[in-house]
Amino acid sequence: LVLSNAQLGALAAAGTLSITSYGSIDLFGDTRFGNGALDLTLDAAALLGYAADGRSSTAITARSFTFLNSGAVLPAAPPAGAPDGAGAFSVTASTATFGAGAKAIAGVSAVTVEASGELIVAGAGSLEAAAPVALNASRVAVGSKARQSIEARDSAGSAFHDISFGRPASGTALGVIEGAGGRLSVVGRRIGVAGDLESPSGTITLDARGAGVFVEAGGRVGVDSAKLVLSEGVQVPMEAGTVQLRAANGNVSVAPGG
């Protein structure tokens, strides 16, 4: 199935669009589609960028954006060949979700997700990006009992890339996170936190393999005690979670106010 930008735009006008692949979703040339009322789900093992006419960037706009893998397997040799794109991959949405399953993004120069509300990591799975990653949201929330990892490393596996957590240009006030006990592991060259990264009564591990871990002023890595609801009106505090900050070849720095 091959879709042009115009065809994607027509499908997006329906308001809900789900694209499923038994392998990868391949993005050729400059890809632009979506709108602020679109609920978009990409269900695949990988998003792969390919150059066409010297261009290879992707920009997606949606109300909600979900990237998951419900069972696809990426072949050792992708049908379209090794991804050779060198443009940026960006998503702008009200909410974004990295769902279950092993997922990858390659053939891009950078990955940026901008969510005015929450960016949620949910279920059991992983995201491997062969480029620097910037996740900007009013809150990055680790879902209840989630078991997720985010890693930025080149396709050859020899060099790590930077990962940053920041705030969006226009944020949204959010309520209490529902659920608790989720686990998130983040691995990159340099890991910077200038936004809110939260997993109530859960575990967050930031593992820098190069420049270090930097929690900037205003940044927050929160694993506060969640409340277990036993019945209506009856809540029991749970134990607070665990934060692990690791820097194999650099420093761990927490700025005042971080």
Side-chain angles (χ1 to χ4, degrees), residues 26-223:
D26 299 339
L27 306 166
F28 289 88
D30 282 348
T31 303
R32 304 280 187 277
F33 73 98
N35 58 71
L38 172 65
D39 295 323
L40 174 66
T41 298
L42 302 181
D43 185 348
L47 306 178
L48 303 181
Y50 291 89
D53 298 325
R55 296 174 294 181
S56 60
S57 64
T58 296
I60 296 171
T61 302
R63 177 172 59 187
S64 68
F65 170 81
T66 300
F67 181 25
L68 59 83
N69 178 7
S70 59
V73 177
L74 185 64
D84 60 355
F89 175 91
S90 67
V91 175
T92 302
S94 296
T95 61
T97 301
F98 293 146
K103 305 169 292 295
I105 302 176
V108 301
S109 61
V111 175
T112 301
V113 177
E114 180 105 358
S116 59
E118 275 189 320
L119 191 159
I120 303 167
V121 291
S126 61
L127 172 64
E128 296 185 4
V133 175
L135 303 177
N136 303 319
S138 293
R139 179 172 65 204
V140 176
V142 183
S144 180
K145 299 181 181 179
R147 300 293 183 267
Q148 284 278 2
S149 65
I150 299 173
E151 182 172 307
R153 181 161 53 171
D154 67 14
S155 299
S158 58
F160 289 92
H161 299 288
D162 295 353
I163 299 178
S164 66
F165 297 89
R167 300 185 189 280
S170 178
T172 301
L174 300 171
V176 176
I177 297 177
E178 296 184 5
R183 296 180 183 176
L184 174 64
S185 172
V186 180
V187 182
R189 189 192 75 89
R190 180 192 189 277
I191 300 174
V193 181
D196 287 341
L197 177 56
E198 300 187 32
S199 179
S201 295
T203 301
I204 296 176
T205 301
L206 305 182
D207 187 354
R209 303 295 177 87
V213 177
F214 299 86
V215 182
E216 302 174 17
R220 184 172 188 274
V221 182
V223 290

Side-chain angles (χ1 to χ4, degrees), residues 227-238:
K227 292 183 179 180
L228 178 64
V229 179
L230 299 180
S231 61
E232 185 175 353
V234 179
Q235 298 182 342
V236 177
M238 300 173 64

